[in-house]
Amino acid sequence: MAFCKEVIIKAQKFRIRQYREEDESAVLSLWRTVFGKDISIDYWRWKYLANPYGNRILLCVKQTGEVVVLYGGIPYRSRLATSSVEIIHLSDIMSHPDIRKTGLFIKTVEAFISYFSGQEKAVFFYGFPGKYHFDIGQKYLEYRELGTGVAFLSAMVEDLSVQTSTGGIVVKTSTTDEAKHNTIWNSCREYYPFSVIRDHAFLNWRFYQNPTRSYMVYAYALHSDSVFSGYAVFTAGEVEGTMILVDLIMPPSADSVQDFFSILSKIFISENVKRIKTWLPANHFLIALLVSSGFSVSPEPLGFIPTGRSFSPALPWNWGSRNMFYSMADADLF
């Protein structure tokens, strides 16, 4: 049964309810008001209607039909130890300037938590707010910072070529490589005990079907007759000659990671790529492996704070916070 709740603020009635397709124009209008720019209809539909997971969105709506609050996100399937659970990546959260400090936003969030979270629903919410919104979430919604925060890493491509290749192979994959993508995830998933399931369904929607940005997915195998055991996803940065490493799944093997990036560096040098940058959990094993391959860690430049909240006794905060793997692929920041 669809969620619907009536709220009265200063003698004015509002309705908190689930998003419907006919709300699209009102939501895009709110986006324009809040952020001062338009969002592509194709992008909105890709993100919330065309993905394989559905959406979890609550709106606060005036009696006139005007949307004044949106709180929602994408309900990814996640690996949690040996189980599959739902987690929600919160995104595109907004409230109309005219209703701020009325309590409508908090009431919408409380309704969202009540309706979508729990043992048989979403066991975890997470997102990447800036400090201002993190402080609000921490004060009113019990959100906390994940792990030890985020690490920003970068490398000059020529420094990655110093490593000697041990004979691995790197190939660019496509939307038709379902078996290859699933093999990589299945071979690595034990090393990522709490992560969005990065199988073909995820990769195909997130990267190959994205209507606004192009990505390159490179798969790695130890040698020509072994199965593929890792991948990296790149997109062009705003600065010419820079690539953003959007996602990376590799086993905890320094030899494999060094070999992978040694081979990739030669590809990138031939394409005049000079620098790579990326963001990953600061306490993850990939950090040390990337540093051993030629990356360096620097102060994080964007100011976002990885944030989460657990809603299940099967997911203790300390364990989830330490073990969650995320990348910019979770958030579609790049």
Side-chain angles (χ1 to χ4, degrees):
M1 184 176 178
F3 178 88
C4 187
K5 178 181 180 180
E6 199 168 82
V7 178
I8 299 176
I9 298 289
K10 296 182 179 179
Q12 187 174 2
K13 289 184 179 179
F14 298 85
R15 184 170 293 172
I16 299 173
R17 60 167 175 80
Q18 288 177 268
Y19 173 83
R20 302 191 290 251
E21 286 192 40
E22 57 264 34
D23 294 318
E24 182 177 83
S25 62
V27 166
L28 298 185
S29 176
L30 177 62
W31 179 287
R32 190 180 307 113
T33 298
V34 172
F35 298 112
K37 59 183 179 180
D38 288 316
I39 179 175
S40 159
I41 291 177
D42 289 341
Y43 179 82
W44 176 264
R45 292 175 179 173
W46 162 79
K47 190 170 184 179
Y48 291 106
L49 302 181
N51 74 58
Y53 314 104
N55 65 71
R56 302 289 184 264
I57 298 174
L58 285 190
L59 305 177
C60 183
V61 185
K62 284 184 175 181
Q63 288 181 298
T64 60
E66 181 184 1
V67 176
V68 293
V69 179
L70 183 152
Y71 199 88
I74 298 173
Y76 288 129
R77 298 308 298 169
S78 171
R79 174 178 167 83
L80 178 57
T82 59
S83 302
S84 174
V85 297
E86 179 177 301
I87 64 174
I88 296 177
H89 175 255
L90 303 169
S91 60
D92 302 323
I93 293 165
M94 48 190 152
S95 62
H96 195 285
D98 291 347
I99 61 88
R100 292 173 188 167
K101 297 185 178 181
T102 64
L104 276 176
F105 178 79
I106 296 299
K107 287 183 181 297
T108 305
V109 179
E110 290 172 345
F112 184 94
I113 292 171
S114 175
Y115 187 64
F116 287 124
S117 71
Q119 184 72 5
E120 302 301 322
K121 299 178 182 179
V123 301
F124 197 79
F125 294 173
Y126 73 115
F128 303 97
K131 187 176 187 309
Y132 174 78
H133 292 99
F134 171 77
D135 289 343
I136 293 174
Q138 187 179 45
K139 182 177 180 179
Y140 294 107
L141 307 171
E142 300 179 37
Y143 292 153
R144 300 162 69 179
E145 183 172 3
L146 287 172
T148 54
V150 64
F152 174 69
L153 300 97
S154 62
M156 301 305 296
V157 172
E158 61 184 13
D159 293 337
L160 303 179
S161 65
V162 173
Q163 303 291 340
T164 302
S165 174
T166 57
I169 62 170
V170 172
V171 299
K172 189 180 290 187
T173 69
S174 72
T175 187
T176 62
D177 285 317
E178 181 172 359
K180 195 172 294 179
H181 296 151
N182 288 338
T183 295
I184 291 170
W185 173 248
N186 290 335
S187 69
C188 285
R189 63 187 181 186
E190 66 179 292
Y191 308 120
Y192 298 81
F194 185 28
S195 166
V196 170
I197 294 173
R198 284 160 153 77
D199 57 5
H200 177 73
F202 174 79
L203 294 176
N204 189 47
W205 163 73
R206 173 65 181 85
F207 301 117
Y208 297 114
Q209 295 179 6
N210 190 303
T212 60
R213 198 168 188 113
S214 296
Y215 298 89
M216 294 158 289
V217 182
Y218 293 93
Y220 172 80
L222 282 169
H223 42 77
S224 58
D225 58 351
S226 65
V227 299
F228 285 88
S229 58
Y231 73 74
V233 183
F234 293 89
T235 192
E238 293 182 359
V239 178
E240 185 176 354
T242 298
M243 280 287 184
I244 298 167
L245 174 56
V246 180
D247 201 17
L248 178 66
I249 291 291
M250 291 289 290
S253 163
D255 289 342
S256 293
V257 174
Q258 290 170 9
D259 190 33
F260 188 24
F261 280 97
S262 175
I263 298 169
L264 277 174
S265 69
K266 294 172 177 58
I267 297 172
F268 284 169
I269 287 171
S270 71
E271 298 172 348
N272 204 32
V273 176
K274 301 184 183 304
R275 186 171 180 257
I276 299 171
K277 59 181 182 178
T278 193
W279 290 257
L280 289 168
N283 62 340
H284 199 267
F285 69 76
L286 284 174
I287 303 298
L289 300 183
L290 288 172
V291 170
S292 75
S293 301
F295 283 80
S296 58
V297 180
S298 305
E300 198 286 309
L302 298 184
F304 65 84
I305 302 172
T307 302
R309 179 178 172 183
S310 174
F311 296 94
S312 170
L315 181 57
W317 170 258
N318 288 340
W319 185 91
S321 178
R322 288 196 313 270
N323 286 279
M324 186 177 192
F325 174 76
Y326 57 83
S327 73
M328 297 303 95
D330 293 54
D332 193 41
L333 294 180
F334 297 103

